């Protein structure tokens, strides 16, 4: 007897849990219907008719016997469980393979952060070259009209571009793309309150970011401490390269009005005392 034979299917009956519920009467009826079809007398031209009929008869005898049928139902149940476990293992294996492939794709995919850093460095280099070009152009306008060989001018311009912009004077500005947007001219006006702005370069119109080049490090530091922009859409201002050491105070202008504007608190009092003292000395000399 073939252990892989499904005797319910041989009799044309449903197998599995549904076959286990069939009555003996239903099994006998199905056997008789099949026997009329597969009997050798009904198939004289089929040389295998006897084999097929004997197979049908063996399946019927197993299902008709209560003990044999119970063992056969248990065998089918074990086979169904094994098949289900195989399917679950195959599904689990497939998920593991999919996860592994996804991790491999993620490992070889370009890092968005690294891509942003490369883009920032590229824009910074272009900005440095542009600022160097503008400075060289202004220097040529104020220089004497003596003729200078073109080859030498090209060498000087290249050296100026190589020097680049001091990154401690460059500010990285970001904002959310909500409400009223920031243009280069608007950013220049906002940052000019802290000092001269050399250049403004909109880095990304989609994300809302720009690079602002201040004329001095003091102006850059002041901007990072106080600049907020509009309350409805505030600016996030960070130095491209933080200042490593405290900066020296900016040189005071020689004219008196500017000195008075830069003096506050005790500084202004000292200046006033000095002026009064000089006036008193002048009055004594006139006497």
């Amino acid at each position: 007897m073939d252990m892989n034979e499904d005797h319910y299917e041989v009799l044309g009956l449903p197998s599995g849990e549904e076959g286990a519920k069939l009555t003996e009467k239903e099994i006998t009826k199905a056997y008789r219907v099949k026997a009329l079809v597969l009997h050798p007398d009904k198939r004289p031209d089929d040389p295998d008719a006897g084999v097929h009929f004997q197979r049908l008869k063996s399946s019927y005898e197993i299902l008709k016997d209560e003990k044999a049928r119970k063992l056969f139902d248990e065998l089918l149940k074990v086979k169904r469980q094994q098949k289900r476990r195989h399917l679950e293992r195959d599904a689990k294996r497939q998920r593991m393979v999919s996860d592994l492939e996804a991790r491999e794709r993620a490992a070889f995919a370009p890092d968005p952060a690294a891509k942003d850093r490369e883009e920032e460095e590229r824009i910074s280099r272009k900005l440095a070259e542009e600022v160097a070009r503008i400075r060289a152009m202004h220097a040529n306008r104020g220089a004497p009209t003596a003729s200078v060989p073109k080859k030498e001018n090209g060498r000087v311009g290249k050296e100026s571009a190589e020097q680049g912009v001091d990154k401690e004077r460059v500010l990285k500005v970001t904002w959310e793309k909500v409400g009223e947007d920031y243009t280069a001219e608007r950013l220049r006006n906002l940052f000019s309150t802290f000092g001269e702005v050399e250049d403004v370069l909109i880095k990304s119109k989609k994300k809302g970011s720009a690079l602002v080049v201040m004329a001095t490090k003091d102006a850059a530091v002041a901007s990072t401490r106080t600049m907020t922009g509009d309350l409805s859409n505030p600016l996030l201002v960070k130095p491209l390269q933080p200042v490593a050491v405290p900066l020296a105070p900016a040189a005071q202008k020689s004219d008196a009005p500017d000195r008075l504007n830069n003096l506050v608190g005790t500084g202004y009092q000292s200046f006033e005392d000095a002026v009064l003292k000089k006036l008193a000395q002048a009055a004594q000399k006139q006497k």
Side-chain angles (χ1 to χ4, degrees):
M1 182 182 66
D2 188 2
M3 298 302 295
N4 294 323
E5 187 81 83
D6 190 336
H7 302 296
Y8 289 104
E9 291 183 355
V10 173
L11 270 68
L13 295 170
S15 183
E17 295 179 357
E18 187 176 353
K21 297 177 182 179
L22 294 172
T23 64
E24 183 178 352
K25 185 176 180 180
E26 291 173 331
I27 294 174
T28 302
K29 182 179 179 181
Y31 166 71
R32 289 175 179 175
V33 172
K34 276 284 186 180
L36 291 175
V37 178
L38 298 178
H39 197 279
D41 294 341
K42 299 291 185 180
R43 304 168 67 91
D45 298 330
D46 186 1
D48 298 327
V51 176
H52 295 320
F53 185 77
Q54 186 61 36
R55 174 168 168 258
L56 174 66
K57 189 175 181 181
S58 299
S59 297
Y60 172 64
E61 290 176 353
I62 291 174
L63 296 180
K64 186 176 65 171
D65 186 274
E66 183 179 355
K67 186 176 181 180
R69 182 185 177 187
K70 184 177 181 181
L71 291 173
F72 178 67
D73 289 340
E74 291 179 356
L75 178 63
L76 290 181
K77 183 178 180 181
V78 171
K79 287 184 177 181
R80 289 195 302 271
Q81 292 175 349
Q82 289 178 346
K83 184 176 181 181
R84 183 168 60 252
R85 282 195 296 269
H86 283 308
L87 292 175
E88 291 175 353
R89 279 199 298 268
D90 291 341
K92 185 177 181 180
R93 189 180 295 110
Q94 185 64 32
R95 287 195 300 270
M96 292 174 64
V97 171
S98 300
D99 293 342
L100 180 59
E101 292 176 350
R103 286 196 296 269
E104 289 178 351
R105 288 194 298 270
F108 290 101
D111 184 11
K115 188 175 181 181
D116 290 341
R117 287 194 297 270
E118 292 177 0
E119 181 67 11
E120 182 177 329
E121 291 176 359
R122 183 187 68 81
I123 295 176
S124 298
R125 288 195 299 269
K126 291 182 67 68
L127 178 61
E129 295 173 359
E130 187 67 15
V131 171
R133 182 188 65 80
I134 294 173
R135 286 182 173 178
M137 181 179 63
H138 286 296
N140 291 336
R141 287 179 180 177
T145 57
S147 60
V148 181
K150 293 183 178 180
K151 183 176 180 180
E152 183 178 354
N153 283 340
R155 180 178 60 83
V156 173
K158 184 178 180 181
E159 292 176 355
S160 299
E162 290 176 351
Q163 292 177 358
V165 177
D166 188 356
K167 290 185 178 181
E168 294 181 351
R169 296 189 292 107
V170 180
L171 302 175
K172 183 179 179 181
V173 185
T174 58
W175 63 91
E176 297 292 336
K177 297 295 289 183
V178 294
E180 186 176 2
D181 200 4
Y182 290 91
T183 62
E185 186 63 27
R186 188 180 178 195
L187 291 174
R188 183 184 293 273
N189 293 335
L190 288 172
F191 282 89
S192 62
T193 58
F194 302 98
E196 181 183 353
V197 178
E198 289 188 354
D199 201 358
V200 177
L201 178 63
I202 299 296
K203 179 182 175 184
S204 174
K205 294 184 178 180
K206 294 182 179 180
K207 297 182 179 180
S209 62
L211 295 177
V212 179
V213 183
M214 304 301 293
T216 63
K217 296 179 181 179
D218 287 341
V221 173
S223 300
T224 56
R225 291 176 178 173
T226 57
M227 170 55 61
T228 57
D230 291 341
L231 294 178
S232 60
N233 191 6
L235 297 172
L236 176 61
V237 184
K238 295 181 179 180
L240 190 61
Q241 178 176 319
V243 179
V245 295
L247 300 175
Q252 296 182 353
K253 297 182 180 180
S254 59
D255 54 311
D258 288 342
R259 291 177 60 191
L260 287 173
N261 290 334
N262 292 331
L263 293 174
V264 295
T266 57
Y268 179 81
Q269 187 64 39
S270 300
F271 179 79
E272 185 179 13
D273 294 340
V275 172
L276 293 175
K277 185 176 180 180
K278 289 182 179 180
L279 291 175
Q281 291 176 355
Q284 289 179 359
K285 289 180 180 181
Q286 289 179 359
K287 292 178 180 180

